[in-house]
Amino acid sequence: MAALLVANSGSARTLPRALTSDQANRLAITRFRNYQAGGRAVTITVPGTAGRLIITGSIDYRGKLGYGAVHGTGRDTSSNGLIEWTATTVFVHPMADAPGDAPASPPGSGWYGRPLRTSGSSLDSSLAIALSLGSDRPDNAELLPQNGAVWVGQGRSNGHQVDVMTGPSARATSGTAGSVRYWIGSDGTMYRVRIGVASESQPVVIDFDTQKYVPVRPVPGVTPTR
């Protein structure tokens, strides 16, 4: 099946092809780049039959902690508010009039905690995927092509020239190498990730550097579980 090649002017169709050595090396270090940066500003678009959820915030890839404001599109405001999450736990702070950007210091009360669901929830899958996009070591560039990684196009993301590649699978899900796409800059920086989740027909989209990174602070009284 042909993949769309996004160019600066217009578009054309091209077949996926094997990664070059340079592309494999950039894909191998892209999650490590997030860890090296310490944290990244993100916008996570979560699909849903009742409408999308948009999470605007930051992820601390060394502390393994995410935090942001949640807004629904095409749905009511019952899911709006603030959210903070680890690999095992989600904390929500409902707010009908949620701010566009989460306050730098999380509110001192009004939080509700629950375990992060490992299946059946597009929101929790999206949170786990976003948190998994940082690693304290590079992947093995030589093994990536064996795991289904290929080059599918070029384009621009948030003003940056990028290569679009598939794989490796996000560690929060399994068997997804062909449905994971990374938008990666010339130095290995990750600018966008799109990944399918089993519970939805539309993909999760994670965009980086969509606003200024704000260091993530834990919910008062809660010690993050790493």
Side-chain angles (χ1 to χ4, degrees):
M1 182 177 181
L4 186 64
L5 172 66
V6 183
N8 290 339
S9 57
S11 61
R13 288 195 172 273
T14 185
L15 290 175
R17 61 163 173 74
L19 298 177
T20 65
S21 176
D22 172 70
Q23 290 164 353
N25 286 332
R26 283 188 281 142
L27 183 58
I29 66 171
T30 193
R31 295 191 306 122
F32 182 56
R33 287 286 195 210
N34 283 345
Y35 182 85
Q36 283 183 313
R40 301 283 302 278
V42 297
T43 295
I44 306 170
T45 302
V46 183
T49 55
R52 297 180 301 169
L53 289 174
I54 309 295
I55 301 170
T56 305
S58 298
I59 296 178
D60 178 344
Y61 280 109
R62 296 191 180 184
K64 299 181 181 180
L65 185 66
Y67 172 58
V70 184
H71 295 87
T73 62
R75 59 192 295 161
D76 60 32
T77 61
S78 61
S79 298
N80 289 11
L82 303 177
I83 190 167
E84 184 161 302
W85 72 99
T86 71
T88 60
T89 308
V90 178
F91 299 93
V92 294
H93 186 289
M95 299 174 69
D97 297 319
D101 296 311
S105 296
S109 61
W111 292 92
Y112 302 89
R114 62 171 176 80
L116 185 143
R117 303 183 186 98
T118 57
S119 64
S121 168
S122 58
L123 172 60
D124 286 19
S125 293
S126 301
L127 299 177
I129 290 166
L131 206 62
S132 75
L133 294 175
S135 175
D136 61 1
R137 59 181 61 86
D139 290 305
N140 188 325
E142 295 182 359
L143 294 181
L144 291 176
Q146 300 176 30
N147 294 330
V150 296
W151 178 91
V152 295
Q154 290 181 322
R156 297 190 69 82
S157 179
N158 199 20
H160 300 277
Q161 185 69 33
V162 295
D163 283 290
V164 186
M165 311 177 209
T166 66
S169 299
R171 292 189 177 181
T173 59
S174 60
T176 54
S179 64
V180 185
R181 292 197 176 188
Y182 295 84
W183 278 247
I184 299 175
S186 60
D187 64 349
T189 298
M190 185 185 301
Y191 290 107
R192 168 177 280 200
V193 175
R194 191 183 73 190
I195 181 169
V197 293
S199 57
E200 294 294 338
S201 59
Q202 297 298 313
V204 174
V205 178
I206 302 168
D207 289 299
F208 291 87
D209 299 341
T210 48
Q211 69 280 336
K212 182 180 179 181
Y213 173 73
V214 177
V216 181
R217 299 183 182 180
V219 169
V222 174
T223 300
T225 302
R226 301 187 180 183

